[in-house]
Amino acid sequence: MIRTLLLCTALAAFAAPADAEVRFGKNVRIGGHDVSNQTFNAKKRGKYVIHENQPKAPGCVWKKNRDGSKTKVCHLKRKERSANR
């Protein structure tokens, strides 16, 4: 029992945090809105909230986090798909 606890603690201590970057390419849409050519990583994050009805404060704003990073928060209304898509 104690060995298992020590092993789990050691694995957690030596595990490196994941470092990834998300890059949206051409013609990328979220909820019908164009988000092409945007890059997000650990210091520059993105949060998209898609509403069925009109949100109170539509649009995007940058918020600063306690760790020094920034988050782009977007409240968007879902767009209807066009018939030819």
Side-chain angles (χ1 to χ4, degrees):
M1 182 74 166
I2 294 176
R3 280 188 185 170
T4 306
L5 181 60
L6 288 174
L7 181 63
C8 290
T9 305
L11 287 176
F14 293 118
D19 189 25
E21 180 176 282
V22 176
R23 186 175 201 179
F24 294 123
K26 290 183 179 180
N27 300 323
V28 177
R29 297 191 170 274
I30 296 178
H33 297 272
D34 185 25
V35 294
S36 299
N37 300 317
Q38 294 186 29
T39 303
F40 297 106
N41 55 29
K43 291 291 180 181
K44 188 176 141 189
R45 304 172 187 169
K47 178 181 177 184
Y48 289 89
V49 182
I50 307 300
H51 299 270
E52 293 296 327
N53 299 323
Q54 187 69 23
K56 276 187 178 180
C60 300
V61 294
W62 284 98
K63 305 246 179 172
K64 287 189 178 183
N65 300 324
R66 287 185 176 183
D67 63 354
S69 63
K70 297 186 303 183
T71 302
K72 182 179 186 179
V73 180
C74 295
H75 290 274
L76 305 171
K77 182 181 177 194
R78 181 179 306 276
K79 287 186 176 180
E80 298 296 325
R81 282 189 159 179
S82 60
N84 60 1
R85 284 193 159 188

